Amino acid sequence: MSDTSRRSGDAIPKIDIAALFGGRTAARDAVDREIHDAALAIGFMTVTGLPDRLAVGERARRDLLRFFSLPEAQQRRLWKRNFAPENSNLYRGLFPREASPARNRVGYDIGPDLVRDLPLDGDQDLLYERTPLPREQSLPGWRKTAADYYLAMEEIGGVILASLSRGLGIDARYFHDAFEGGISTLRLLHYPKRAATEPKPVDETYYTTYRQRAYEQVARPHVDSGLLTILAQCGVAGLQAQDASGGWLDVPPDAQGFAINFGGLLARWTGGGIKATRHRVLGLGEERFSIPFFFEPRADAVIAPLPLDGIEPFAPFQFGDHLWATTTKFPENFGLGYLRPPRAAYSDPITDSTTGPITV
């Protein structure tokens, strides 16, 4: 399998969003235009200029990633029930390398109970399941770092969606109201370095040739299924976004900034105006960590056509129904779909041609 690359100087837009954290100014208007253009042109950007008070830079990321230093026995207590039948948690928690056929990543999914009380008991809706957390004595100070980081991600996501609202010409509170009490997921990811004696994936779709060099794709080309992803790459390159011509653009890591991409649901919500961009991660033969934040509204938030010209009508549905139908297609949640029937009428609003492969 081979790919084309772009050498013409095209690049992922890099935007200083400092002006979004204040009132209306000419600088904020300019940033709104930059974000609007990036969202409609490629659906990917990197952002800098975050307030120091948010504490989401390199130091906070290192502190979060202490999680992976926990002994194996302590990690197993946090595994999802799919992989540790003795545990009760199904949706939140840790999935081990065994979760993926490629055995190339470990992930830990953290929910909003980290920062606030949940409106529903987890027994009533798995999307509000409590997160199994490491003990404070095992990782002193870790919970506070994680909570502060989670709240900062919600604030960043909120100002970006408000900016997009202004750029699209709709009420800036349209998205805001849906995200009140949202169920966003903070995920910690570890891609261990593969030992020379360790078997590699047999499936050829895990491999590609880029600029005359062979790579394993530790995340195969895909589109995020939701709305907005805020990603810290933790200093390791390899993330790429696909442009309209089918070529691949490197998304440079930034020690303080983030990569931002928009998902298939936001593309559908805006009638295809905002692009949901395919992206992938090339393995560079070294250990990799990353911290994505999937910015998600309340489970009962209704997704209906936005008040924009040219929006193709679709039947409104609840976000939680879409999220559950989508997340149970990923290996770490296989076989769980029946546990949460849709709360309202639901049919998948996104076609395969929009999302691309869902298994990464």
Side-chain angles (χ1 to χ4, degrees):
M1 185 177 181
S2 63
D3 298 301
T4 58
S5 61
R6 296 299 300 272
R7 301 176 181 271
S8 61
D10 291 339
I12 300 297
K14 183 176 182 178
I15 304 173
D16 184 329
I17 64 170
L20 297 185
F21 293 89
R24 183 172 185 179
T25 61
R28 195 188 75 172
D29 290 345
V31 173
D32 286 347
R33 288 191 294 272
E34 288 186 82
I35 290 176
H36 176 268
D37 291 349
L40 271 61
I42 189 170
F44 233 97
M45 60 188 179
T46 61
V47 299
T48 60
L50 302 166
D52 290 340
R53 64 177 173 77
L54 293 183
V56 292
E58 191 172 9
R59 181 177 179 180
R61 298 169 193 179
R62 285 199 308 268
D63 200 22
L64 282 177
L65 295 173
R66 285 191 294 142
F67 174 85
F68 293 110
S69 69
L70 286 171
E72 183 177 344
Q74 292 188 35
Q75 290 195 27
R76 185 180 174 89
R77 286 198 291 268
L78 308 177
W79 282 14
K80 298 185 180 191
R81 195 198 303 172
N82 266 359
F83 313 101
E86 69 273 19
N87 294 344
S88 61
N89 52 298
L90 285 161
Y91 179 54
R92 300 297 183 188
L94 185 67
F95 57 87
R97 293 181 73 177
E98 292 81 357
S100 166
R103 293 178 52 86
N104 63 7
R105 65 175 186 163
V106 178
Y108 179 51
D109 291 337
I110 306 167
D113 58 294
L114 181 69
V115 297
R116 55 180 169 268
D117 293 334
L118 300 179
L120 294 174
D121 185 89
D123 292 337
Q124 297 175 320
D125 190 338
L126 277 170
L127 294 175
Y128 288 98
E129 179 182 78
R130 293 187 63 81
T131 307
L133 295 169
R135 297 166 179 165
E136 177 65 21
Q137 60 266 36
S138 299
L139 292 175
W142 182 89
R143 289 192 184 190
K144 183 180 188 309
T145 298
D148 290 346
Y149 194 96
Y150 190 104
L151 290 170
M153 291 296 101
E154 287 191 316
E155 183 173 348
I156 294 167
V159 300
I160 290 172
L161 286 183
S163 176
L164 280 175
S165 296
R166 293 189 294 267
L168 292 168
I170 62 176
D171 190 323
R173 293 194 61 85
Y174 195 98
F175 292 123
H176 177 273
D177 292 344
F179 281 80
E180 284 285 352
I183 55 172
S184 300
T185 296
L186 173 61
R187 173 174 286 182
L188 310 182
L189 282 171
H190 177 207
Y191 298 88
K193 184 175 181 179
R194 195 184 297 278
T197 57
E198 192 175 352
K200 295 183 178 180
V202 175
D203 187 340
E204 66 177 14
T205 63
Y206 281 101
Y207 303 95
T208 190
T209 300
Y210 177 70
R211 294 183 177 174
Q212 290 77 54
R213 180 179 169 185
Y215 291 93
E216 179 183 343
Q217 298 181 120
V218 294
R220 289 177 290 181
H222 67 286
V223 167
D224 290 349
S225 58
L227 292 135
L228 174 68
T229 302
I230 307 170
L231 174 70
Q233 297 191 70
C234 302
V236 180
L239 176 64
Q240 295 185 321
Q242 192 171 44
D243 66 13
S245 72
W248 291 95
L249 303 174
D250 292 319
V251 183
D254 188 298
Q256 303 301 321
F258 292 90
I260 306 286
N261 67 276
F262 304 105
L265 184 57
L266 188 58
R268 183 68 183 88
W269 208 355
T270 58
I274 290 176
K275 297 296 185 293
T277 303
R278 284 163 63 86
H279 52 286
R280 67 182 183 184
V281 178
L282 301 183
L284 303 180
E286 57 186 300
E287 183 178 46
R288 178 187 178 86
F289 295 92
S290 65
I291 307 174
F293 184 80
F294 303 105
F295 192 40
E296 298 166 339
R298 294 185 317 279
D300 64 355
V302 175
I303 309 298
L306 289 173
L308 294 170
D309 292 339
I311 295 288
E312 181 181 348
F314 60 87
F317 57 91
Q318 290 189 12
F319 172 74
D321 293 341
H322 170 75
L323 176 60
W324 190 249
T326 301
T327 196
T328 50
K329 295 178 182 177
F330 286 91
E332 59 267 23
N333 297 317
F334 277 165
L336 303 182
Y338 75 97
L339 293 174
R340 187 191 185 279
R343 300 305 198 250
Y346 173 75
S347 60
D348 188 348
I350 304 172
T351 64
D352 288 342
S353 62
T354 300
T355 62
I358 194 143
T359 301
V360 298

